[in-house]
Amino acid sequence: MQMIRLDRVCKAYRQGEQELLALDNVSLEVDQGEFVAIVGPSGSGKSTLMNTIGLLDVPTTGTYTLDGVATEKMSDNQMAELRNRKIGFIFQQFNLLPKLNCIENVELPMIYNGIDRKMRRELAVQVLESLGMGRHLTHRPNQLSGGQQQRVAIARALALAPALILADEPTGALDSKTGNEVLELLMELNEKGNTIVLITHDNHIAEKAKRKVSIRDGCIVEDVRVRDEVAATVLDEVML
Ligand SMILES: Nc1ncnc2c1ncn2[C@@H]1O[C@H](COP(=O)(O)OP(=O)(O)OP(=O)(O)O)[C@@H](O)[C@H]1O
Ligand SMILES: [Mg+2]
């Protein structure tokens, strides 16, 4: 079952007189249930790739199919509807609304999806509690630590049980201990069946994923299955 299929995707940006290819002929397939880390230096095209996968941006050329749905002929409204239904986003800067408490922040995407007030509240409380935020339900972001804020952002991403979770440097603004906790949370979600694409410039974090895709100058230069490699090594040893 394929979640993501990018076929020869290019994304061109105009910079003054020049054209810059932020994505240069990228083809990528990700199956349901995978945990993929996208790594690469600053400016290599990671966020452009995530925005494309997240239907926040459209390719200049090439095609993108999300969970079996071809997106190239869609209107902005259709893309937004598909995005809301299928994708949960987690960002480096959490992107919580400062005037809303935890419950209200988590409820926000549910409002766009037309879920009624009572159901919204129940789902928000449930997902916040499941992430260990039960004691902070009515706190505002500025009353929380960075790690707690990221948990609220993850709760918001998860509330509608999206098929795909996209995380752009989710641990970038956290200290290493809290960052590891967030990473472990993502690994748990993946164990439960969520498909995760995580963007990072940190190789240590990427090693925790099952698959590592390296991008440079808008091109995929490497695509390796991290844990499969470990399994293969173990298997080699057993066979010997
Ligand atoms: N809206 C835009 N207009 C023009 N150029 C852009 C735009 N967005 C990105 N770029 C360019 O595309 C290239 C890739 O940018 P992108 O943000 O995808 O990199 P990145 O790998 O996410 O970097 P970082 O690790 O710093 O976040 C860069 O050269 C950038 O300057
Ligand atoms: Mg980026």
Side-chain angles (χ1 to χ4, degrees), residues 51-216:
N51 290 343
T52 305
I53 295 171
L55 296 170
L56 294 165
D57 222 335
V58 290
T60 311
T61 59
T63 60
Y64 173 35
T65 306
L66 169 63
D67 207 9
V69 182
T71 64
E72 54 270 16
K73 296 204 179 85
M74 285 188 167
S75 68
D76 287 354
N77 279 340
Q78 287 172 319
M79 289 226 297
E81 195 271 331
L82 187 63
R83 181 169 64 234
N84 286 335
R85 194 152 46 85
K86 297 268 185 198
I87 304 174
F89 290 92
I90 304 166
F91 300 96
Q92 177 172 357
Q93 296 304 336
F94 322 133
N95 291 10
L96 300 174
L97 294 188
K99 290 195 174 152
L100 302 184
N101 69 28
C102 292
I103 293 179
E104 292 160 346
N105 265 290
V106 173
E107 281 182 331
L108 209 54
M110 299 191 229
I111 296 176
Y112 299 130
N113 274 272
I115 293 171
D116 76 59
R117 183 185 292 259
K118 185 159 170 284
M119 182 72 153
R120 279 201 314 255
R121 183 104 338 174
E122 275 174 22
L123 282 171
V125 170
Q126 198 178 45
V127 68
L128 280 164
E129 282 177 347
S130 78
L131 294 175
M133 291 299 292
R135 289 194 295 137
H136 304 279
L137 297 175
T138 56
H139 291 167
R140 289 188 185 172
N142 68 4
Q143 297 172 297
L144 302 172
S145 71
Q148 289 167 339
Q149 289 182 58
Q150 193 57 302
R151 275 167 197 271
V152 177
I154 293 172
R156 180 184 56 189
L158 290 178
L160 288 166
L164 174 63
I165 295 171
L166 296 180
D168 195 350
E169 300 275 5
T171 62
L174 304 173
D175 62 78
S176 60
K177 180 170 169 286
T178 317
N180 267 324
E181 285 170 14
V182 166
L183 200 58
E184 268 163 32
L185 195 59
L186 292 175
M187 289 162 74
E188 272 172 39
L189 292 172
N190 176 246
E191 293 300 322
K192 288 183 192 155
N194 280 294
T195 310
I196 301 182
V197 176
L198 176 150
I199 287 178
T200 179
H201 63 268
D202 184 338
N203 245 310
H204 290 295
I205 290 173
E207 301 294 333
K208 298 266 168 70
K210 290 178 183 164
R211 177 177 168 194
K212 188 172 88 171
V213 173
S214 306
I215 177 167
R216 201 155 301 216

Side-chain angles (χ1 to χ4, degrees), residues 16-36:
E17 291 289 282
Q18 292 188 329
E19 200 179 61
L20 178 126
L21 266 189
L23 294 177
D24 185 359
N25 216 18
V26 168
S27 294
L28 176 69
E29 293 176 20
V30 176
D31 286 339
Q32 256 172 36
E34 282 201 77
F35 187 166
V36 184

